[in-house]
Amino acid sequence: MRYKEFNASKVLEDCISLFWKNGYSSCSINRIVDRYFGNMRASYLQVLRHAVEKGEIKHPKKLDEYADFLVGIIFGISVLYKVKSRDELQAYIDDQLSMIV
């Protein structure tokens, strides 16, 4: 769903309202973002460790760098999703991941 469709259905506004109503209104945005990044990065590290065990990672000693790289890719995709086709996004993802696997 593109931003205009997403926004037209008021999903974004509903999500933000629920977010604040569920007790996050007193948290700083920095804390929320740090927690989000931390959780995402920890998840990627777990997946990367599993991939190392399977021999699927080019440079196993660079897992921290790869986890940061993957977090960056997600944000790149979130921007490109608004302006690129599905095929272009798939090509971008494949190209980026080819650097580490």
Side-chain angles (χ1 to χ4, degrees), residues 9-45:
S9 65
K10 302 288 185 203
V11 173
L12 181 58
E13 289 83 353
D14 290 345
C15 288
I16 291 170
S17 294
L18 286 172
F19 180 79
W20 291 113
K21 286 178 187 176
N22 286 323
Y24 290 98
S25 59
S26 64
C27 291
S28 75
I29 296 298
N30 286 343
R31 183 172 167 223
I32 294 166
V33 170
D34 286 344
R35 186 173 178 188
Y36 174 76
F37 279 131
N39 290 339
M40 183 185 299
R41 190 174 188 281
S43 296
Y44 286 141
L45 281 170

Side-chain angles (χ1 to χ4, degrees), residues 35-101:
R35 186 173 178 188
Y36 174 76
F37 279 131
N39 290 339
M40 183 185 299
R41 190 174 188 281
S43 296
Y44 286 141
L45 281 170
Q46 184 175 5
V47 170
L48 289 166
R49 286 184 191 111
H50 183 69
V52 166
E53 291 172 9
K54 295 174 78 177
E56 298 175 340
I57 298 293
K58 288 183 182 177
H59 305 286
K61 294 183 181 187
K62 294 185 174 185
L63 293 190
D64 287 325
E65 293 173 42
Y66 290 163
D68 292 337
F69 175 75
L70 291 171
V71 169
I73 288 174
I74 292 300
F75 282 97
I77 291 170
S78 69
V79 171
L80 292 175
Y81 180 75
K82 293 170 178 50
V83 296
K84 299 289 185 181
S85 71
R86 183 183 185 120
D87 291 336
E88 290 172 309
L89 284 175
Q90 187 63 55
Y92 172 78
I93 293 166
D94 292 343
D95 184 50
Q96 296 300 307
L97 290 178
S98 71
M99 291 187 225
I100 65 172
V101 295

